[in-house]
Amino acid sequence: METKVKRDVTIRPHVQQFRGEQDDVVPMSWVDVCNELKEPRMAHHHERGPSGWVLGRNDEQSVRKASASGSRWCVVVDLDAELAKGDKPAKGDPDLSPEKLKALLTRAIPGSSWAAHTTKRSTPECWRWRVLIPLTQPVKTGRTPEKPDAYRAIAGMIRGFLTLVGSKAGEADNGWWKSEMGWYMPAPSRHYESIIHEGEGFLNTEDPIA
């Protein structure tokens, strides 16, 4: 089954720098990733800051540029609740409780498996989620005038699906759809929650958009 296929996961000891550190590329299956979300380990926190990961491989040492080439086998989506402040409308979704999140993703990517975990600043009053959506095949990263970024294309498609089902995720300016982003590994916190959703399979990357 594809859930047990081992793929590259790049772990960086000190996520804040994303350069000058030695990447550790380890094989992990989707089952392994989900287990990491279920029981996050404080051991991932380096003495100079928390560790980060990329579900794929980087061909260059620094990933903080759009042209950096590599591959990704999982799309990462940040969905943050945000309440309106005075006359300023909320850019995020007002309610992202676990139940609301499940309903939203079921409509946006029906049939697809996914997993989610809360980020550090998440609270029951204002949920903040990081959603991982596995792909059937790894896709290339790295955007140049001659070469489009397949990861961005698929992330943009998901962004559009979320907008169609009523989410404000597409309005948030946190850059989650960019392939050069790196992510903190899940870590225990006071309000930590994780959700593992087993769908019919992984999101199909054989679509022409990829």
Side-chain angles (χ1 to χ4, degrees):
M1 293 178 62
E2 57 189 356
T3 57
K4 296 183 180 181
V5 173
K6 298 283 186 178
R7 292 176 173 169
D8 289 338
V9 172
T10 303
I11 297 177
R12 177 145 298 190
H14 186 218
V15 71
Q16 294 285 12
Q17 291 189 356
F18 275 98
R19 63 180 64 214
E21 298 279 357
Q22 182 62 45
D23 288 340
D24 185 14
V25 179
V26 297
M28 294 180 72
S29 68
W30 177 241
V31 171
D32 296 331
V33 170
C34 290
N35 287 337
E36 190 67 43
L37 269 60
K38 292 177 184 176
E39 297 183 11
R41 298 170 291 173
M42 285 297 291
H44 287 310
H45 278 59
H46 189 262
E47 61 182 4
R48 287 186 291 144
S51 299
W53 62 354
V54 168
L55 300 183
R57 176 182 286 273
N58 299 316
D59 295 336
E60 302 176 44
Q61 185 67 9
S62 173
V63 299
R64 289 294 197 183
K65 53 184 179 180
S67 61
S69 61
S71 63
R72 301 285 184 272
W73 60 272
C74 195
V75 173
V76 180
V77 180
D78 267 0
L79 293 176
D80 295 341
E82 182 181 337
L83 304 178
K85 298 178 181 178
D87 296 332
K88 185 179 179 181
K91 290 185 178 181
D93 297 302
D95 183 1
L96 278 177
S97 63
E99 294 74 21
K100 291 285 187 180
L101 180 73
K102 292 176 186 177
L104 177 67
L105 291 173
T106 297
R107 296 197 306 272
I109 48 173
S112 293
S113 296
W114 54 269
H117 69 91
T118 51
T119 54
K120 184 177 180 180
R121 293 197 297 159
S122 179
T123 67
E125 295 74 35
C126 192
W127 293 92
R128 294 172 178 269
W129 296 96
R130 183 151 293 151
V131 182
L132 281 57
I133 305 171
L135 307 174
T136 54
Q137 296 292 333
V139 295
K140 293 292 185 181
T141 64
R143 180 166 55 92
T144 66
E146 298 78 25
K147 182 184 65 174
D149 188 322
Y151 179 92
R152 282 193 183 217
I154 294 174
M157 178 179 66
I158 294 171
R159 192 181 182 191
F161 290 161
L162 288 167
T163 300
L164 285 174
V165 298
S167 172
K168 292 188 175 182
E171 299 178 24
D173 190 22
N174 53 17
W176 58 260
W177 54 89
K178 299 177 181 178
S179 59
E180 63 266 30
M181 294 293 287
W183 310 97
Y184 289 116
M185 299 189 77
S189 62
R190 181 181 177 186
H191 300 295
Y192 184 84
E193 297 273 355
S194 65
I195 302 172
I196 311 299
H197 174 76
E198 295 184 10
E200 299 171 7
F202 291 178
L203 188 67
N204 188 3
T205 56
E206 295 178 2
D207 188 284
I209 196 171

XYZ file of all heavy atoms in Angstrom, residues 58-101:
327
model
N 15.732 18.347 -1.010
C 16.252 19.577 -1.611
C 17.541 19.265 -2.346
O 18.417 18.585 -1.814
C 16.529 20.634 -0.534
C 15.270 21.012 0.230
O 14.222 21.213 -0.363
N 15.385 21.103 1.542
N 17.662 19.769 -3.573
C 18.892 19.574 -4.322
C 19.949 20.609 -3.964
O 21.106 20.467 -4.324
C 18.612 19.655 -5.832
C 17.706 18.517 -6.295
O 17.680 17.481 -5.604
O 17.048 18.664 -7.332
N 19.522 21.655 -3.244
C 20.449 22.699 -2.827
C 20.366 22.848 -1.320
O 19.358 22.527 -0.700
C 20.103 24.031 -3.502
C 20.115 23.957 -5.026
C 19.670 25.265 -5.652
O 20.114 26.325 -5.186
O 18.874 25.222 -6.599
N 21.435 23.393 -0.718
C 21.493 23.498 0.727
C 20.439 24.453 1.281
O 19.818 24.202 2.290
C 22.892 23.971 1.174
C 23.098 23.996 2.687
C 23.083 22.610 3.304
O 23.079 21.612 2.595
N 23.049 22.536 4.615
N 20.210 25.565 0.613
C 19.225 26.525 1.071
C 17.923 26.330 0.314
O 17.910 26.218 -0.902
C 19.719 27.962 0.865
O 18.688 28.882 1.163
N 16.791 26.292 1.039
C 15.498 26.137 0.377
C 14.725 27.446 0.354
O 13.613 27.505 -0.125
C 14.642 25.056 1.067
C 15.345 23.731 1.012
C 14.313 25.442 2.486
N 15.288 28.518 0.886
C 14.565 29.772 1.008
C 14.634 30.617 -0.254
O 14.841 31.821 -0.196
C 15.109 30.571 2.199
C 14.754 29.982 3.549
C 13.255 30.058 3.798
N 12.953 29.868 5.206
C 11.742 29.820 5.708
N 10.709 29.942 4.912
N 11.552 29.641 6.986
N 14.486 30.001 -1.397
C 14.401 30.740 -2.643
C 13.560 29.945 -3.624
O 13.591 28.717 -3.656
C 15.792 31.026 -3.213
C 16.694 29.826 -3.377
C 18.074 30.262 -3.859
C 18.999 29.062 -4.015
N 20.346 29.452 -4.485
N 12.796 30.681 -4.436
C 11.826 30.030 -5.311
C 12.475 29.148 -6.365
O 11.871 28.195 -6.844
C 10.953 31.090 -5.979
N 13.720 29.450 -6.727
C 14.378 28.686 -7.785
C 15.046 27.409 -7.277
O 15.544 26.623 -8.065
C 15.430 29.559 -8.479
O 16.424 29.973 -7.549
N 15.071 27.202 -5.940
C 15.725 26.021 -5.387
C 15.025 24.753 -5.859
O 13.815 24.592 -5.696
C 15.723 26.085 -3.857
N 15.786 23.862 -6.468
C 15.189 22.653 -7.031
C 15.132 21.533 -6.002
O 15.883 21.504 -5.030
C 15.976 22.197 -8.255
O 17.312 21.901 -7.894
N 14.236 20.616 -6.241
C 14.072 19.479 -5.344
C 12.776 18.776 -5.674
O 12.291 18.830 -6.798
N 12.204 18.102 -4.682
C 10.934 17.405 -4.893
C 10.156 17.394 -3.585
O 10.725 17.524 -2.495
C 11.177 15.971 -5.370
O 11.876 15.230 -4.374
N 8.842 17.253 -3.715
C 7.947 17.170 -2.561
C 6.910 16.088 -2.834
O 6.394 15.974 -3.936
C 7.221 18.500 -2.323
C 8.136 19.692 -2.079
C 8.742 19.673 -0.694
N 9.538 20.874 -0.470
C 10.829 21.001 -0.784
N 11.466 19.980 -1.351
N 11.479 22.118 -0.534
N 6.602 15.315 -1.812
C 5.563 14.301 -1.968
C 4.360 14.577 -1.077
O 3.456 13.757 -0.959
C 6.119 12.898 -1.710
C 6.701 12.654 -0.350
C 7.998 12.879 0.045
C 6.047 12.090 0.787
N 8.170 12.507 1.360
C 6.990 12.023 1.838
C 4.742 11.640 1.029
C 6.684 11.516 3.103
C 4.436 11.153 2.292
C 5.397 11.078 3.305
N 4.339 15.769 -0.500
C 3.243 16.143 0.367
C 3.053 17.649 0.288
O 4.029 18.404 0.339
C 3.567 15.727 1.799
S 2.170 15.726 2.913
N 1.819 18.105 0.113
C 1.513 19.533 0.134
C 1.155 19.925 1.563
O 0.386 19.228 2.230
C 0.343 19.873 -0.810
C -0.088 21.326 -0.654
C 0.746 19.605 -2.257
N 1.732 21.020 2.028
C 1.473 21.509 3.377
C 0.600 22.758 3.294
O 0.911 23.688 2.557
C 2.788 21.822 4.120
C 2.496 22.344 5.529
C 3.671 20.575 4.192
N -0.494 22.764 4.043
C -1.452 23.865 4.021
C -1.601 24.423 5.431
O -1.844 23.659 6.373
C -2.831 23.387 3.517
C -3.825 24.546 3.498
C -2.711 22.761 2.135
N -1.457 25.720 5.589
C -1.720 26.365 6.872
C -3.124 26.938 6.868
O -3.468 27.754 6.010
C -0.708 27.486 7.127
C 0.489 27.011 7.923
O 0.537 25.824 8.281
O 1.386 27.831 8.205
N -3.927 26.512 7.817
C -5.287 27.022 7.972
C -5.427 27.600 9.375
O -5.412 26.867 10.364
C -6.311 25.908 7.751
C -6.410 25.346 6.333
C -7.387 24.178 6.286
C -6.858 26.425 5.365
N -5.514 28.915 9.460
C -5.572 29.601 10.743
C -6.906 30.301 10.930
O -7.368 31.020 10.039
C -4.456 30.654 10.841
C -3.069 30.031 10.830
O -2.969 28.820 11.101
O -2.095 30.756 10.558
N -7.504 30.089 12.082
C -8.712 30.832 12.421
C -8.313 32.269 12.737
O -7.227 32.535 13.241
C -9.411 30.204 13.617
N -9.187 33.189 12.419
C -8.924 34.596 12.708
C -10.253 35.300 12.919
O -11.162 35.202 12.090
C -8.167 35.265 11.559
C -7.822 36.728 11.834
C -7.094 37.364 10.664
O -6.494 36.634 9.864
O -7.138 38.593 10.563
N -10.362 36.008 14.015
C -11.578 36.735 14.329
C -11.451 38.176 13.857
O -10.361 38.748 13.833
C -11.843 36.693 15.840
C -11.930 35.292 16.459
C -12.141 35.403 17.958
C -13.040 34.479 15.820
N -12.557 38.743 13.481
C -12.559 40.146 13.053
C -12.180 41.053 14.229
O -12.545 40.789 15.373
C -13.932 40.515 12.517
N -11.418 42.097 13.919
C -11.000 43.051 14.938
C -11.557 44.428 14.601
O -11.078 45.097 13.692
C -9.477 43.099 15.015
C -8.841 41.773 15.406
C -7.323 41.851 15.416
C -6.698 40.513 15.783
N -5.213 40.571 15.749
N -12.595 44.839 15.350
C -13.210 46.131 15.085
C -13.822 46.165 13.696
O -14.602 45.296 13.311
N -13.423 47.151 12.923
C -13.926 47.276 11.555
C -13.093 46.481 10.558
O -13.413 46.447 9.370
C -13.933 48.755 11.129
C -14.892 49.588 11.973
O -15.869 49.002 12.465
O -14.652 50.790 12.139
N -12.030 45.851 11.032
C -11.145 45.096 10.158
C -11.644 43.667 10.004
O -11.701 42.920 10.979
C -9.721 45.089 10.726
C -8.697 44.429 9.820
C -7.314 44.490 10.457
C -6.284 43.813 9.563
N -4.926 43.833 10.189
N -12.043 43.259 8.786
C -12.560 41.893 8.616
C -11.456 40.853 8.779
O -10.279 41.127 8.536
C -13.091 41.899 7.178
C -12.290 42.957 6.488
C -12.023 44.016 7.524
N -11.862 39.675 9.193
C -10.907 38.580 9.366
C -10.477 38.040 8.014
O -11.292 37.876 7.109
C -11.533 37.473 10.200
N -9.177 37.779 7.868
C -8.678 37.150 6.648
C -8.734 35.629 6.742
O -8.770 34.937 5.734
C -7.241 37.614 6.378
C -7.130 39.066 5.963
C -5.697 39.415 5.597
C -5.583 40.861 5.140
N -4.188 41.214 4.766
N -8.689 35.118 7.960
C -8.770 33.678 8.147
C -10.192 33.229 8.403
O -11.128 34.033 8.472
N -10.385 31.917 8.536
C -11.709 31.369 8.811
C -12.074 31.605 10.272
O -11.260 31.346 11.163
C -11.726 29.876 8.501
C -11.477 29.594 7.034
O -12.251 30.098 6.212
O -10.498 28.900 6.716
N -13.274 32.083 10.567
C -13.639 32.394 11.952
C -13.735 31.165 12.846
O -13.482 31.248 14.040
C -14.996 33.099 11.814
C -15.540 32.630 10.501
C -14.332 32.442 9.621
N -14.096 30.018 12.276
C -14.257 28.806 13.078
C -13.519 27.655 12.408
O -13.881 27.228 11.312
C -15.740 28.458 13.238
C -15.950 27.233 14.132
O -14.951 26.677 14.637
O -17.110 26.841 14.323
N -12.477 27.162 13.066
C -11.727 26.016 12.544
C -11.579 24.948 13.623
O -10.503 24.409 13.846
C -10.351 26.461 12.033
C -10.314 27.046 10.618
C -8.895 27.503 10.279
C -10.780 26.016 9.589
N -12.671 24.682 14.293
C -12.664 23.589 15.265
C -12.359 22.290 14.519
O -12.478 22.220 13.292
C -14.026 23.485 15.944
O -15.023 23.159 14.988
N -11.944 21.246 15.225
C -11.655 19.974 14.536
C -12.798 19.499 13.651
O -12.574 19.014 12.544
C -11.397 19.010 15.699
C -10.848 19.890 16.784
C -11.598 21.187 16.666
N -14.034 19.661 14.114
C -15.186 19.225 13.323
C -15.324 20.060 12.052
O -15.610 19.543 10.973
C -16.460 19.314 14.156
C -16.520 18.358 15.334
C -15.614 18.783 16.486
O -15.251 19.989 16.545
O -15.253 17.913 17.294
N -15.137 21.380 12.187
C -15.234 22.274 11.034
C -14.117 21.996 10.037
O -14.316 22.042 8.816
C -15.170 23.728 11.494
C -16.380 24.194 12.278
C -17.573 24.424 11.373
C -18.727 25.056 12.130
N -19.905 25.304 11.271
N -12.909 21.706 10.548
C -11.784 21.405 9.668
C -12.060 20.147 8.849
O -11.827 20.115 7.640
C -10.502 21.226 10.489
C -9.245 20.903 9.672
C -8.774 22.142 8.913
C -8.133 20.363 10.562
